[in-house]
Amino acid sequence: MKVSRIAAAGAVAASAVLVLSGPAFAHVSVQPEGAAAKGGYATVNFKVPNERDNASTTKLEVSFPTDHPLASVMPEAVAGWTAKVTTSKLDKPLEMHGESISEAVTKVTWTATGKGIAPGFFQKFPLSIGALPEDTDELVFKAVQTYDNKEVVRWIEEQKEGAEEPENPAPVLALSAASEEGHHGATSTATPSDEAAAEHTETTEVAAASTDSSDTTARVLGVVGIVVGAAGVAYGVLAGRRRTDA
């Protein structure tokens, strides 16, 4: 009985490690390069994975929150894609840097000029945005992903407090506390695009190192799990043969 339990435990351990080290369910998400501080400007990346094995992603539409409008949105050029920024009139004008802003960006649409995002790949779509609101801890964007086979996936479901993650969650940008330096751009002479370039340079190596470390750890755990499972199964088989011979 002990031998059988050891073998079974080894096989379960191997399976569990492989599951944990495998890729997580992917969806459209948004992350800042560096900090996304309240009242300031930030560069953010919308990460779009291709979840289909027989179609390519050829279009992404991101709708911006209307309860916290952003007056400044500037896309970075992405090879193989065109970007269209849509603005709309605001019901209530915003006051930014002593000026009244009557329009804000409501949507950015990226359209592939070539094959788009092929199966097994992902694409990042960078934006410089601001000024970020000060009266909320997060911004919720709603994204629509279109494939070349006409399939449309709507990443628009908002996370409810205490509930499980929805099947098609909307991208959420977490905002950090306001920084005294460059607050509202008052003490900083850099433009949003300059800040975006600096943040990109500073974070690229860190992000690459973190990714390599995570991949290495996952692979090591996977190998260890396989070895443990195989050893347990082999031990159980050998022990069973010994009892039979006896």
Side-chain angles (χ1 to χ4, degrees), residues 106-228:
T106 51
K107 182 187 292 186
V108 177
T109 303
W110 288 271
T111 304
T113 57
K115 295 182 179 180
I117 309 171
F121 290 84
F122 72 88
Q123 177 69 55
K124 288 183 179 180
F125 298 93
L127 289 177
S128 173
I129 62 175
L132 299 173
E134 299 180 77
D135 57 350
T136 184
D137 294 326
E138 63 182 26
L139 291 177
V140 179
F141 300 86
K142 295 186 177 182
V144 178
Q145 181 179 11
T146 303
Y147 290 87
D148 59 7
N149 62 358
K150 307 304 180 182
E151 179 186 2
V152 176
V153 181
R154 303 180 185 279
W155 305 98
I156 62 175
E157 298 178 78
E158 297 188 34
Q159 176 70 51
K160 303 298 182 182
E161 186 175 356
E164 295 183 357
E165 183 181 58
E167 183 177 354
N168 294 311
V172 177
L173 176 66
L175 303 181
S176 59
S179 172
E180 292 299 328
E181 296 183 4
H183 185 64
H184 291 296
T187 60
S188 174
T189 58
T191 64
S193 58
D194 292 334
E195 294 176 357
E199 290 172 353
H200 179 73
T201 301
E202 292 172 0
T203 59
T204 298
E205 294 183 0
V206 175
S210 176
T211 300
D212 292 343
S213 176
S214 299
D215 290 344
T216 301
T217 302
R219 289 171 184 168
V220 170
L221 288 174
V223 172
V224 171
I226 292 172
V227 171
V228 171

